[in-house]
Amino acid sequence: MKKGMQSRSSRKGHHRRWDRTAGLEANVTLEGAGNGILFFVTPQWSKLLEPTVWYAAVTQCFFSLSVCFGAIITYSSHNDFKHNIYRDAMIVTSLDTLTSFMAGCTIFGILGNLAHEMGMEDIDKVVKSGAGLAFISYPDAIAKFNFLPQLFAVLFFVMMFVLGVGSIVGMVSGIISSLKEKLPNVEIWKIVVSVCLMGFAVSTIYVTPGGQFLLALVDYYGTSFVVFVLAFFEITALTWVYGIENFLDDIEFMLDRKMSSYWRICWFLVAPLILITIFIYTVATLSPLEYGGRGYPTSAHVAGAVLLCFSVSQIPCWMLVEMLRNRNLPLLQNLKKSFSSTPQWGPRENKYRNAWLRFKEEKEKERSVRTEPKWLQLMYILIRKNGAKGVY
């Protein structure tokens, strides 16, 4: 299964890269495309002081890499326990950056051509976002190609289809895997068919005349905000509740290498701080949602708020469920047990699990002989400094 998934992913990525490269080569031949690309690559340093820019950047990274949507965890579950995920992470993020840059050059090349056709010098005025860019601006520019516009139109929409399928396969796989673990006696094809039919039925509303109106509302309340909250809680639970040192020990056991200070500080401090700061500031300075230059009615905002609360409330609700299971314990013991790892936590295969337990015991012995205050130990862990009893 894993080899098949890797093969399909490789072919799919090859087709997407070929389509984008062909589109870029055709776009640069259009009049005004150079001005659009120059507008794209020219930095505006003052924008770095605007939190909304960072909000958009982080959201783009989340969606581009499918972070916090379950796809990465689902795919990684097919790897061997000792698989070099560090190498994979570097390769995937680097290629994603290059692909996004190539796509940006292609898109802004088209916007430059549109500005030229409209006789406008300010490309910022012709920039569109969302579905309008993909289904209006881009096809309009493709129709102006001098060489086989029909071919590039087909390639573009094939690329869009492959991108959509590639994204949804990962997300749906996470749902199916979770349901299969909870329903082991149900045949997998029944779960797949049920989930896909339900998703298809719900998604048909987006192709109705008011579909774009609803799509913008759901995207605004049901994804962009939610992913920030989930990402913050995930990174906080991993590094602060489970413990940064436990997390680093697990990575060291899996990869046979220690993480650098850069990753330690980012995981423990930088990432949670940036996420919560950008989210709070964005919410505090939020402008009303609009579609087509018109504001949404109050009922739409209420529906969006309900969707947002339902998504975010999953974390405290399931936390409360776990605490209710331990309700016979005193409060402090209840909290400690509820936030502790289960006995099943760790490698599934016996040969790795036994070695991991021995490895954890050795680490606990090393910690037991430390004499520095807790805050100083944490500092040494983050900067990998030698303490009185060795390297942290």
Side-chain angles (χ1 to χ4, degrees):
M1 181 184 292
K2 179 179 69 176
K3 292 181 180 179
M5 292 169 59
Q6 291 173 342
S7 176
R8 290 193 297 272
S9 177
S10 175
R11 292 196 299 269
K12 183 168 59 181
H14 172 74
H15 293 324
R16 282 184 286 187
R17 289 191 297 271
W18 190 89
D19 288 348
R20 287 180 178 177
T21 303
L24 178 59
E25 292 176 354
N27 289 339
V28 296
T29 63
L30 299 175
E31 295 185 27
N35 294 332
I37 295 175
L38 186 62
F39 176 83
F40 171 60
V41 299
T42 302
Q44 299 181 24
W45 302 112
S46 60
K47 294 291 185 179
L48 294 176
L49 301 178
E50 299 180 12
T52 53
V53 172
W54 289 97
Y55 176 86
V58 174
T59 304
Q60 163 63 19
C61 291
F62 282 154
F63 282 98
S64 182
L65 294 168
S66 294
V67 178
C68 297
F69 289 99
I72 295 178
I73 296 177
T74 302
Y75 285 150
S76 64
S77 66
H78 296 280
N79 290 330
D80 295 330
F81 183 78
K82 289 286 187 177
H83 185 77
N84 191 350
I85 57 173
Y86 184 85
R87 177 200 61 198
D88 289 359
M90 294 297 101
I91 293 175
V92 170
T93 51
S94 299
L95 290 178
D96 179 75
T97 301
L98 293 175
T99 303
S100 298
F101 180 78
M102 182 183 298
C105 290
T106 304
I107 291 170
F108 277 86
I110 287 180
L111 293 175
N113 174 257
L114 289 177
H116 175 78
E117 294 289 337
M118 298 168 63
M120 302 173 62
E121 295 184 359
D122 190 359
I123 298 177
D124 192 33
K125 294 182 179 179
V126 300
V127 173
K128 293 182 179 180
S129 61
L133 177 63
F135 297 104
I136 299 176
S137 300
Y138 210 112
D140 183 57
I142 291 177
K144 297 182 176 66
F145 284 4
N146 295 323
F147 178 73
L148 291 177
Q150 298 86 351
L151 173 62
F152 286 99
V154 171
L155 289 176
F156 170 71
F157 284 105
V158 168
M159 182 191 71
M160 292 290 291
F161 175 77
V162 172
L163 285 172
V165 171
S167 298
I168 200 65
V169 164
M171 297 180 187
V172 172
S173 296
I175 298 174
I176 293 173
S177 298
S178 301
L179 291 175
K180 180 59 180 177
E181 291 183 1
K182 291 295 183 181
L183 305 169
N185 296 325
V186 180
E187 295 180 358
I188 186 67
W189 71 267
K190 294 181 180 179
I191 298 177
V192 173
V193 171
S194 300
V195 172
C196 291
L197 288 178
M198 185 179 299
F200 176 79
V202 173
S203 300
T204 52
I205 193 173
Y206 297 127
V207 297
T208 61
Q212 290 299 310
F213 176 89
L214 293 173
L215 178 62
L217 181 68
V218 173
D219 177 70
Y220 187 77
Y221 283 103
T223 54
S224 299
F225 283 131
V226 173
V227 74
F228 261 86
V229 176
L230 295 181
F232 172 75
F233 276 103
E234 283 188 24
I235 192 68
T236 302
L238 193 62
T239 58
W240 288 75
V241 179
Y242 180 64
I244 183 65
E245 196 165 13
N246 287 325
F247 181 54
L248 293 172
D249 290 344
D250 293 342
I251 294 179
E252 180 183 350
F253 178 76
M254 293 177 66
L255 303 181
D256 297 321
R257 62 179 295 174
K258 291 181 178 290
M259 291 291 99
S260 65
S261 299
Y262 169 80
W263 295 113
R264 298 175 182 221
I265 295 174
C266 282
W267 289 332
F268 189 77
L269 291 174
V270 177
L273 184 62
I274 288 179
L275 286 173
I276 196 63
T277 301
I278 295 176
F279 178 75
I280 292 176
Y281 186 88
T282 303
V283 172
T285 60
L286 200 61
S287 57
L289 179 63
E290 295 182 351
Y291 177 75
R294 300 171 58 185
Y296 277 68
T298 303
S299 59
H301 288 290
V302 171
V306 171
L307 179 62
L308 173 63
C309 293
F310 174 78
S311 302
V312 175
S313 64
Q314 298 300 310
I315 296 175
C317 285
W318 290 106
M319 180 176 65
L320 182 61
V321 169
E322 184 63 28
M323 293 182 65
L324 289 175
R325 292 174 180 172
N326 305 316
R327 58 184 177 275
N328 295 328
L329 298 175
L331 179 60
L332 293 179
Q333 294 183 19
N334 188 332
L335 290 173
K336 184 177 181 179
K337 185 174 181 179
S338 299
F339 285 90
S340 298
S341 305
T342 64
Q344 293 78 24
W345 171 253
R348 179 177 297 179
E349 299 180 41
N350 290 331
K351 62 177 181 178
Y352 291 127
R353 185 172 185 81
N354 295 332
W356 177 72
L357 291 174
R358 291 192 297 268
F359 178 81
K360 298 291 282 187
E361 289 178 1
E362 294 174 1
K363 290 295 183 179
E364 287 296 333
K365 291 179 181 179
E366 294 177 5
R367 297 172 193 172
S368 64
V369 298
R370 295 174 184 172
T371 57
E372 296 88 355
K374 292 292 185 180
W375 67 268
L376 188 57
Q377 291 183 32
L378 177 60
M379 187 69 66
Y380 287 166
I381 292 170
L382 296 179
I383 63 177
R384 290 191 63 186
K385 182 179 179 180
N386 291 339
K389 300 295 182 179
V391 180
Y392 283 80

